[in-house]
Amino acid sequence: MSDELRERREQLSRQLAELQWDLGGVAYEMAIRDHFRLDVLSRQAAKLQQVDAELAEVERMLKLGDAGAAGACGNCGALYAQGSAFCRQCGAQLLEPTEVRA
């Protein structure tokens, strides 16, 4: 899975760079013509944001795997080890309490 994530990160990085290049080119063309179309710029920026968000999620997943972490705290984002009951950074509860039956 880690190899798949690394490959996906490379694909997304290339796609992000291309979208940034395209957005800059569109803005430049509009500037030299002194005619800006915000709808076009917004659509291009939205595509870029979507890829950037996906890349950030892949990076987060890779970081978790590389650190040997079980997950990230939902409260503060700190990584935690398998079996941790509370976040070492903010103290948030990580595991749901289990009901003990007698």
Side-chain angles (χ1 to χ4, degrees):
M1 174 144 161
S2 182
D3 289 337
E4 292 172 9
L5 283 175
R6 291 183 201 293
E7 176 64 29
R8 184 66 180 145
R9 177 179 59 188
E10 292 305 314
Q11 291 172 348
L12 289 169
S13 292
R14 286 190 297 272
Q15 189 177 3
L16 184 71
E18 185 176 314
L19 287 169
Q20 287 173 326
W21 180 266
D22 290 347
L23 181 59
V26 167
Y28 172 76
E29 288 295 323
M30 289 179 182
I32 63 173
R33 289 175 174 73
D34 196 26
H35 180 75
F36 285 92
R37 295 218 18 224
L38 293 180
D39 61 320
V40 174
L41 290 173
S42 293
R43 274 196 308 272
Q44 287 295 111
K47 290 178 194 175
L48 193 139
Q49 283 180 311
Q50 184 178 1
V51 171
D52 192 33
E54 187 177 349
L55 179 59
E57 181 62 17
V58 168
E59 293 275 352
R60 187 186 72 79
M61 291 169 60
L62 282 168
K63 185 177 177 183
L64 285 173
D66 290 346
C73 174
N75 188 48
C76 72
L79 301 179
Y80 63 85
Q82 183 122 9
S84 297
F86 298 95
C87 177
R88 63 175 170 73
Q89 189 159 333
C90 71
Q93 187 171 355
L94 299 172
L95 298 176
E96 292 295 321
T98 58
E99 191 175 304
V100 178
R101 292 187 174 177

